[in-house]
Amino acid sequence: MAVVHRYGTGASIDLAKWLTAHGVPLLPDFFKSIYRWLSARDLSWAQELCIYMFIWMAKFGAAYGVRTGIHVGVDLLVNRLPEHSRKQVVLFSLLCGAFFTGMVAAFGSSFVSEMFKTGQQSNDLEAPMWFVYLAIPLGSGLMCFRFLQVAFAFYRTGGLPHHNEAHIEGIEIDAPDLHPAPTGEAAPRRRSSPLALILMLAPVLILAICLGEKAGIIVLPQAMRAASIFALLIALMLTGIPISIALGLTVLTFLFTLTAVPIEAVSMKLFTGIESFEIMAIPFFILAGNFLTHGGVARRMINFATSLIGHWHGGLGLAGIVACAMFALVCGSSVATVAAVGAIVLPEMVRNGYPMRFGAGIITVAGSLGILMLPSIPKIIYAISTNTSIGALFVAGLLPGSMLTAMLCVVTWYLAKKRDYPRMTRATWGETWTAFRDSVWGLMLVVIIIGGIYSGLFTATEAAAMAAVYSFFISVFVYKALDLKDLPRVLLRAANTSAMLLYIVTNAVLFSFVLSNENIPAALADWITAQDLGWVGFLLLVNVLLLLAGNFMEPTSIILIMAPILAPAAKRLGIDPVHFGIVIDVNMEVGLCHPPVGLNLYVASMIAGMRITDLAVSVLPWLLTMLVFLVIVTYWPGLVLWLPTVLGMR
């Protein structure tokens, strides 16, 4: 509405002037009346209203996410424990979540009470700020209740809510959960495992050290204070606590024990951390991806790609890669790309004589293009964390994404030709044109995103909103693959995913606040610069660090924790922030495609009905190709920066 109002006002008066100059009767008065009507409308409140609605959605959606099990954690060690010990650690992590959210609810209530006394109002809506901030205690209180509810149910039944990503993205298949609970042993041991005791006692011990510092029993040097932050964060994450809660608990502990910062500042930061118009691009792009996944766009893109290259060696596999690239241009989520394209391509490949492991390996890696091409949630997260242009990051991924698409296609073609996999009949030009005509509505979204941002018609957030509205329109009214009665389900799924990401963002902002308060990013940048690694050695170190982190954490968490620390050092070494962002993005792609926490791998295994271990072997040829691509992107900045420079976006 804001975009239409902004440009409709100017366009109507310009058109009226043009028609008057050319002597056209009646119409100039009509457009002048439109101009007067639009000019009289004040929509300055729209952005503020959107931000406040967005924050309320995020706070209450986070509580809903506890119930649906969507909050991600590092459960690698926990799942290796015997059933009895695992139950103890899981209960510990759930109670930690309840403690943190309960404390935030208490601090938030105190903060809201103070705001009520001041009578402060918002700038445009003139809404009472105490009511706006009420989202913090209410959302956190509901989240605390959900953690206690899940803990009680788990204690009684041993069952946890588990999020099935393939199902959530609209693929109705009979598949196991994304993070299924271990079946346990036939006769579980009652004695606690030493590993379980270590996992629970480690954060308690670090907390005791911090309390000792506060009480004056021990004195921690600055380096040890900084180390204690990361040690506590890692110790909490290894217990399987959701990463967002681990970040929040770390901050709460540090602020209470090692600083003089008022603890009520947590409540303020939990609000202002996502009180940003730019962050609102995340739920809009997620919503657009949900509409596209359910709206038949992926199938039409696959048909178009098949008509172009289906007759080559490995044609269906090549079509799957190209379809992933096209879908990635408009979606921005790797998991959605794997789910949408894989559910259509994999059964078709098996019917045409391809081994399932071949197709699943292709789609797992090709789906990672979802975060490299145009819109990308990790790019938005990086841009917000480092103050980098979102538009430049979007455009910067086009050439690297095209190169990776070509490299994956070459490997697929070579393997298919070597193994003599079947080929399809060449499509006629008429069939190709028909397939293109069917898919053009989806491909037009690329023009909206690039054209709108590059021309300055709207910001990246407004582009995301336009993409969501356009995706809704073509899914419901053009392709008619989505009924209006299905909208609540699609909206709820998008809100669930958005709230999980935004809760991580919120607590990561708190974590960054603590790091900045301790001057850790600047100190680390000084240390890295003093090592005289040069930009070549620094980027090598960054790649190794991020690839290791990809074994334990999902992309959003890695970027939010690492980017504010590494970006200052990269800047001092003369590395362009846009280039550095794409290097991080490609590292995140690799992490999505290998165990133990690669989400693409889990979703593809659900669709293909394969074991993770078998699929992890199947992806190796394409995963190695991606590692070669990572080296190219890392040490060839021109590949990334050429297009944004040509378009004047940097």
Side-chain angles (χ1 to χ4, degrees):
M1 288 175 59
V3 171
V4 171
H5 176 266
R6 183 164 68 240
Y7 293 105
T9 304
S12 58
I13 191 63
D14 289 342
L15 193 56
K17 291 177 180 178
W18 185 87
L19 291 170
T20 301
H22 288 77
V24 179
L26 300 179
L27 286 178
D29 292 333
F30 172 73
F31 283 107
K32 285 178 181 177
S33 64
I34 292 177
Y35 167 74
R36 285 191 293 269
W37 185 84
L38 288 174
S39 299
R41 307 277 81 77
D42 179 18
L43 288 184
S44 60
W45 50 266
Q47 179 170 315
E48 191 172 81
L49 176 63
C50 284
I51 291 174
Y52 292 157
M53 290 174 65
F54 158 72
I55 291 173
W56 275 74
M57 180 274 292
K59 300 306 178 187
F60 281 85
Y64 180 71
V66 176
R67 178 179 145 191
T68 59
I70 196 173
H71 289 280
V72 293
V74 181
D75 54 7
L76 178 65
L77 293 179
V78 177
N79 285 340
R80 293 180 177 273
L81 295 172
E83 186 174 349
H84 176 64
S85 297
R86 176 181 176 272
K87 189 171 184 178
Q88 293 176 335
V89 177
V90 171
L91 281 172
F92 173 79
S93 67
L94 290 171
L95 292 175
C96 284
F99 171 77
F100 170 71
T101 50
M103 292 292 287
V104 171
F107 297 143
S109 299
S110 174
F111 184 72
V112 168
S113 176
E114 293 299 319
M115 292 299 296
F116 180 78
K117 295 175 183 177
T118 64
Q120 184 178 342
Q121 293 183 328
S122 63
N123 293 328
D124 297 318
L125 287 173
E126 297 183 355
M129 289 304 296
W130 70 265
F131 180 79
V132 174
Y133 283 107
L134 196 61
I136 300 169
L138 290 183
S140 299
L142 182 57
M143 201 171 181
C144 177
F145 169 75
R146 287 298 185 196
F147 270 117
L148 292 173
Q149 185 183 46
V150 171
F152 181 69
F154 177 70
Y155 178 76
R156 292 185 58 196
T157 66
L160 286 169
H162 291 288
H163 181 69
N164 186 324
E165 193 69 50
H167 176 77
I168 287 297
E169 293 296 341
I171 309 304
E172 307 297 336
I173 55 176
D174 184 17
D177 294 316
L178 182 60
H179 297 295
T183 56
E185 303 167 354
R189 295 180 300 170
R190 303 301 299 175
R191 190 173 61 182
S192 295
S193 163
L195 177 58
L197 291 174
I198 292 171
L199 290 176
M200 290 186 290
L201 289 177
V204 175
L205 177 61
I206 298 170
L207 174 60
I209 294 173
C210 294
L211 289 172
E213 163 77 11
K214 183 177 180 65
I217 300 172
I218 58 176
V219 178
L220 295 176
Q222 183 66 23
M224 285 297 295
R225 288 163 60 93
S228 67
I229 299 176
F230 295 101
L232 182 58
L233 176 63
I234 293 169
L236 287 170
M237 286 197 300
L238 290 179
T239 64
I241 292 176
I243 291 171
S244 54
I245 300 296
L247 286 163
L249 270 175
T250 301
V251 172
L252 206 63
T253 301
F254 194 79
L255 291 181
F256 180 74
T257 60
L258 298 180
T259 71
V261 177
I263 204 71
E264 288 77 12
V266 172
S267 300
M268 175 67 81
K269 281 291 178 182
L270 284 172
F271 189 92
T272 58
I274 55 174
E275 192 184 13
S276 165
F277 193 62
E278 289 75 18
I279 295 181
M280 287 178 58
I282 295 173
F284 283 133
F285 275 125
I286 290 174
L287 180 58
N290 272 263
F291 279 133
L292 294 172
T293 302
H294 291 78
V297 176
R299 182 176 293 278
R300 287 166 173 82
M301 288 180 173
I302 292 167
N303 291 340
F304 176 49
T306 303
S307 70
L308 290 174
I309 55 178
H311 58 282
W312 293 5
H313 289 285
L316 267 176
L318 297 174
I321 295 172
V322 174
C324 282
M326 289 192 290
F327 197 73
L329 285 170
V330 297
C331 178
S333 166
S334 285
V335 171
T337 304
V338 173
V341 177
I344 300 168
V345 167
L346 293 182
E348 194 66 28
M349 291 185 73
V350 173
R351 277 194 291 270
N352 281 270
Y354 291 87
M356 177 60 83
R357 63 181 182 276
F358 182 74
I362 293 171
I363 298 300
T364 299
V365 178
S368 65
L369 289 165
I371 63 171
L372 181 59
M373 303 295 269
L374 269 179
S376 164
I377 306 304
K379 286 180 184 176
I380 297 171
I381 297 293
Y382 171 83
I384 294 167
S385 300
T386 60
N387 229 2
T388 307
S389 166
I390 297 178
L393 283 166
F394 280 5
V395 172
L398 279 173
L399 283 183
S402 301
M403 173 179 277
L404 180 57
T405 302
M407 291 173 68
L408 295 176
C409 283
V410 169
V411 173
T412 302
W413 175 85
Y414 172 78
L415 292 175
K417 183 177 181 181
K418 181 180 178 182
R419 299 170 185 175
D420 196 27
Y421 289 151
R423 301 165 66 179
M424 300 181 69
T425 305
R426 183 190 292 267
T428 65
W429 284 108
E431 291 170 335
T432 301
W433 169 250
T434 301
F436 171 73
R437 189 178 57 196
D438 287 343
S439 64
V440 74
W441 284 98
L443 294 173
M444 277 297 294
L445 194 51
V446 180
V447 178
I448 292 175
I449 295 171
I450 291 185
I453 294 175
Y454 170 63
S455 64
L457 281 177
F458 34 74
T459 65
T461 303
E462 291 170 341
M466 300 292 282
V469 173
Y470 180 82
S471 302
F472 160 76
F473 178 79
I474 63 173
S475 298
V476 175
F477 299 110
V478 178
Y479 293 148
K480 298 180 180 178
L482 190 66
D483 293 328
L484 288 175
K485 68 177 185 293
D486 295 324
L487 285 183
R489 174 172 57 93
V490 176
L491 291 169
L492 185 60
R493 290 176 176 180
N496 194 24
T497 305
S498 299
M500 180 271 292
L501 290 173
L502 293 169
Y503 202 68
I504 295 176
V505 172
T506 302
N507 288 288
V509 168
L510 279 176
F511 190 72
S512 297
F513 167 70
V514 167
L515 294 181
S516 300
N517 189 65
E518 293 296 305
N519 203 33
I520 292 174
L524 283 174
D526 289 338
W527 181 83
I528 291 172
T529 306
Q531 303 310 304
D532 199 24
L533 295 172
W535 72 275
V536 174
F538 171 74
L539 288 177
L540 176 61
L541 177 65
V542 166
N543 283 336
V544 171
L545 184 63
L546 294 177
L547 290 175
L548 288 173
N551 286 288
F552 306 102
M553 299 164 63
E554 51 83 44
T556 302
S557 309
I558 297 173
I559 295 172
L560 285 167
I561 294 171
M562 299 290 188
I565 297 172
L566 297 174
K571 186 176 181 180
R572 292 193 187 186
L573 292 170
I575 299 171
D576 190 281
V578 174
H579 174 224
F580 192 60
I582 298 300
V583 170
I584 291 179
D585 207 39
V586 177
N587 276 282
M588 299 304 98
E589 282 191 293
V590 176
L592 287 168
C593 301
H594 64 75
V597 295
L599 291 182
N600 285 12
L601 205 65
Y602 281 95
V603 175
S605 73
M606 293 175 191
I607 298 170
M610 294 176 63
R611 294 187 305 172
I612 293 293
T613 50
D614 295 336
L615 185 53
V617 175
S618 301
V619 303
L620 282 177
W622 297 276
L623 191 59
L624 292 173
T625 304
M626 188 177 288
L627 289 173
V628 172
F629 172 71
L630 173 60
V631 175
I632 295 173
V633 168
T634 300
Y635 295 112
W636 185 12
L639 176 67
V640 174
L641 301 176
W642 182 79
L643 191 56
T645 303
V646 168
L647 295 178
M649 303 181 76
R650 54 176 296 276

